[in-house]
Amino acid sequence: MAIKPGLGRKPSNKNPPILSHEFVIQNHADIISCVAMVFVVGLMNESTASFASAFISLHHNVSGEDPSREQPYGKAYTYVAGIKDYCSIFFYTLTCIIMHAIIQEFVLDKISKKLHLSKFKLARFNESGQLVAFYLLSFVWGAHVVLREGYLGQVAQLWEGFPSHPMSFLHKFYFIIQLAYYLHMLPELYFQKIRTREEQQPKIVHSISGFSLIVIAYTLSFQRLALVLLTLHYFSELLSHVFQLIGVFDREERLARLRVVNSACFFLVRFATSVIGVLTLYYGIGGLRSLLALGGLIALQGYLVFSFITEQLRAKREAKREAKREAKLLAAQSSKKAVKSPKDKVKRKKESDLPEADQPTPSPVKQKLK
């Protein structure tokens, strides 16, 4: 039996209409989960298994064997880049959108509700929280592959045998996830209701530039070099966004030392990236393609350094302006308290000149109220 609303009350329409914009935004994680499950269920049917595996499994393996009697442990598969990788990128883009929603709902939203942050700090908290999770995973994953493949112990592996650089499973899967994450940033603009041009532009540039640069390195067989450089870059970005999260909770004055650490780490990473790039692309590989890649890498480092210095100068100017505003407000408040109206002064002076018996006494009603 349906419960009718009380008299004078209108039935609440909290649930938006199906397939409306608000409905899709509120339930986008559930909708995309159902789409992803279609591919997973397709693996269970023989007629659709080949189609579904093109989106879920990794392809373009060039070596490797399954376990057999002669080789009980088999032989590890190695992979190269190929056209079928974009099918995997599409599927794992859906996965990134789902994981983004899970982190937002079950981690960031629960923390932000307890903190009661302002609108500006809440936006910074959500953005940095998402990026910290991604950068931490990418840095740990990339460092694990670098140590496992021995790129630090034998730096010559970065250019030996180029362009024949087959990738292990974790190495290739790392790039698939990287491309999927940068691609998922574009639909997130719609799901997060980011409508202003000032907020959209840096996120779109971040998404397209990150996706394009990784695709170029991935398809031109610079996967080993890109893995090392991305791991270094993500370490610097991880520290930067961790300090931004600390800045949401702490005062700006206490972040001076942390900013020095962040700046030192940023410039060290830029220097190490340039050195590794010159060593690999100029002295190791050589050739026109490598020189063009080296020019693009050096230009990118210069742009990042310029943007970093510009951002630091802008932040200092804003901090000075904010300090001046606070000083003016404090001065205005103190002057209002110190300066009294001349009428009150004259009135009080006249009352003080009268004898004590003739001075006005407060009414009994006011005394009771006090």
Side-chain angles (χ1 to χ4, degrees):
M1 181 178 178
I3 300 176
K4 297 181 180 180
L7 294 175
R9 297 181 184 178
K10 296 181 180 180
S12 60
N13 295 323
K14 294 183 179 179
N15 295 326
I18 297 177
L19 298 181
S20 63
H21 289 286
E22 192 65 27
F23 177 84
V24 173
I25 291 172
Q26 290 182 5
N27 303 280
H28 72 274
D30 298 329
I31 296 171
I32 294 175
S33 298
C34 294
V35 175
M37 285 301 298
V38 171
F39 294 98
V40 177
V41 173
L43 291 174
M44 303 178 184
N45 192 348
E46 293 182 0
S47 59
T48 58
S50 60
F51 175 79
S53 63
F55 290 87
I56 300 176
S57 304
L58 299 184
H59 299 278
H60 304 289
N61 56 304
V62 293
S63 65
E65 296 179 1
D66 293 329
S68 61
R69 292 183 178 180
E70 292 78 11
Q71 292 184 348
Y73 297 100
K75 189 178 179 181
Y77 284 93
T78 56
Y79 302 85
V80 294
I83 192 64
K84 290 184 179 180
D85 294 337
Y86 293 97
C87 297
S88 301
I89 291 170
F90 170 77
F91 176 79
Y92 289 104
T93 300
L94 304 180
T95 307
C96 288
I97 295 174
I98 298 169
M99 294 304 300
H100 187 112
I102 291 173
I103 294 173
Q104 184 68 42
E105 183 176 355
F106 293 100
V107 180
L108 299 179
D109 286 348
K110 289 187 176 181
I111 296 175
S112 61
K113 286 179 181 178
K114 296 180 181 179
L115 298 175
H116 304 289
L117 300 173
S118 63
K119 186 176 181 181
F120 174 75
K121 287 189 174 182
L122 181 62
R124 177 178 290 185
F125 174 77
N126 289 332
E127 180 182 4
S128 295
Q130 293 285 350
L131 290 175
V132 162
F134 171 68
Y135 290 146
L136 179 61
L137 174 65
S138 299
F139 170 71
V140 174
W141 191 344
H144 172 71
V145 176
V146 167
L147 294 174
R148 184 177 178 179
E149 300 293 335
Y151 296 150
L152 288 182
Q154 299 177 355
V155 185
Q157 290 189 19
L158 296 178
W159 61 79
E160 285 182 350
F162 182 87
S164 179
H165 282 173
M167 298 171 284
S168 62
F169 176 84
L170 287 177
H171 194 172
K172 178 164 184 171
F173 194 44
Y174 174 85
F175 279 100
I176 297 296
I177 296 299
Q178 295 297 311
L179 295 171
Y181 186 85
Y182 282 103
L183 193 60
H184 105 285
M185 289 181 176
L186 296 177
E188 282 296 334
L189 297 175
Y190 173 74
F191 297 141
Q192 299 297 324
K193 297 182 179 180
I194 300 175
R195 299 173 182 175
T196 61
R197 187 177 180 181
E198 292 77 11
E199 294 178 344
Q200 287 182 352
Q201 186 174 1
K203 296 180 183 296
I204 292 174
V205 171
H206 186 200
S207 173
I208 295 176
S209 60
F211 182 84
S212 301
L213 291 173
I214 296 176
V215 161
I216 292 172
Y218 182 70
T219 54
L220 295 180
S221 301
F222 294 119
Q223 298 95 343
R224 296 181 182 180
L225 177 63
L227 174 67
V228 176
L229 299 185
L230 283 175
T231 304
L232 290 173
H233 175 71
Y234 288 150
F235 177 73
S236 174
E237 292 295 316
L238 176 62
L239 287 182
S240 176
H241 284 279
V242 166
F243 294 155
Q244 282 193 17
L245 285 178
I246 296 174
V248 172
F249 308 109
D250 208 341
R251 294 181 178 179
E252 294 292 332
E253 292 81 3
R254 299 181 182 180
L255 296 176
R257 295 181 180 178
L258 296 180
R259 286 178 177 174
V260 172
V261 174
N262 182 29
S263 301
C265 178
F266 177 83
F267 285 107
L268 284 175
V269 168
R270 303 280 78 82
F271 176 74
T273 300
S274 302
V275 170
I276 294 173
V278 171
L279 185 64
T280 303
L281 297 174
Y282 185 76
Y283 292 102
I285 299 175
L288 180 60
R289 180 168 62 175
S290 299
L291 292 178
L292 291 176
L294 178 60
L297 179 63
I298 298 299
L300 177 62
Q301 302 310 304
Y303 171 76
L304 292 175
V305 170
F306 175 77
S307 299
F308 181 82
I309 294 174
T310 305
E311 182 66 23
Q312 294 297 316
L313 295 176
R314 186 187 63 81
K316 286 184 178 180
R317 287 195 297 266
E318 289 183 355
K320 289 181 180 179
R321 290 176 185 174
E322 191 66 24
K324 288 182 180 179
R325 288 176 185 175
E326 291 180 358
K328 288 182 180 180
L329 289 175
L330 291 174
Q333 291 176 359
S334 60
S335 62
K336 286 181 180 178
K337 292 180 180 179
V339 177
K340 298 179 181 178
S341 62
K343 292 183 179 180
D344 293 341
K345 287 184 177 181
V346 173
K347 186 178 180 181
R348 290 181 183 179
K349 186 176 181 181
K350 288 181 178 180
E351 291 177 356
S352 62
D353 293 340
L354 293 173
E356 186 176 355
D358 296 336
Q359 290 184 4
T361 57
S363 63
V365 177
K366 292 184 178 179
Q367 289 182 351
K368 288 182 180 180
L369 290 174
K370 289 182 180 179

